[in-house]
Amino acid sequence: HRMAEIAENFDFDRCCSAALESVLEAWSDYLMSGTVNDDAHRVAQALAHETVAPAFVEYVLGGTDTGSRRLEEFASTLACLSGRLSAPGHYLLALNAERDGRTIEAEHLLKLSATTDDGFLPVLSELSWYESDRGHFSAAISLLRRVGFEDGNSPIDDLRALLGISSPKAGRNDPCPCGSGRKF
């Protein structure tokens, strides 16, 4: 039941669900043995698939306000991988640290994750909120655009308002700025 709820919340398709199931199998094995028995490379690749990593954190930590020592150990194993494969491990470590209130460490880990894989969308989305909290609204907007958000009914509009930049408005006889071609 919990898996179905998470799949729905994260708008998973079949491949996302299969990737999360693969990670959960490795997680279960880890809880039993204390080691990542499965191929760590395969687990990291599954975590890097779309929103599998944040869904996995939601599965493990749920609504708790604290991190998990076991999650930190599991993620540390993945963070030791080379290149892009280390990004999901750093991301998991960051979200775990964030839950423990270690936000400076979390931000550092997110930046490390983004450095190792600059196309890992969950990390870019999370980093945008850190940039926003620091008042770096332009950087936050840039990160959100890389994630795929656009102007018009998105977090970018809220950040643009904080910068004092208004979204494009349609004049009385102008077509809607959304590109629909309609007047409004």
Side-chain angles (χ1 to χ4, degrees), residues 40-138:
H41 291 84
R42 188 177 60 77
V43 174
Q45 288 172 334
L47 282 165
H49 181 77
E50 299 191 20
T51 58
V52 171
F56 173 67
V57 171
E58 180 62 30
Y59 180 87
V60 173
L61 298 178
T64 65
D65 290 337
T66 59
S68 162
R69 180 184 54 79
R70 300 300 302 264
L71 177 59
E72 190 155 337
E73 293 166 356
F74 180 78
S76 293
T77 301
L78 300 172
C80 290
L81 297 172
S82 62
R84 290 183 152 201
L85 290 176
S86 68
H90 289 111
Y91 176 78
L92 296 178
L93 287 169
L95 293 188
N96 196 59
E98 190 176 87
R99 293 279 179 107
D100 275 341
R102 297 176 283 138
T103 55
I104 293 174
E105 180 182 347
E107 183 179 22
H108 170 74
L109 288 163
L110 287 169
K111 287 181 179 180
L112 186 57
S113 181
T115 300
T116 58
D117 184 354
D118 64 355
F120 188 32
L121 301 183
V123 106
L124 299 177
S125 180
E126 192 72 24
L127 264 177
S128 72
W129 300 114
Y130 278 86
E131 292 294 349
S132 175
D133 285 347
R134 292 194 177 280
H136 304 154
F137 303 125
S138 294

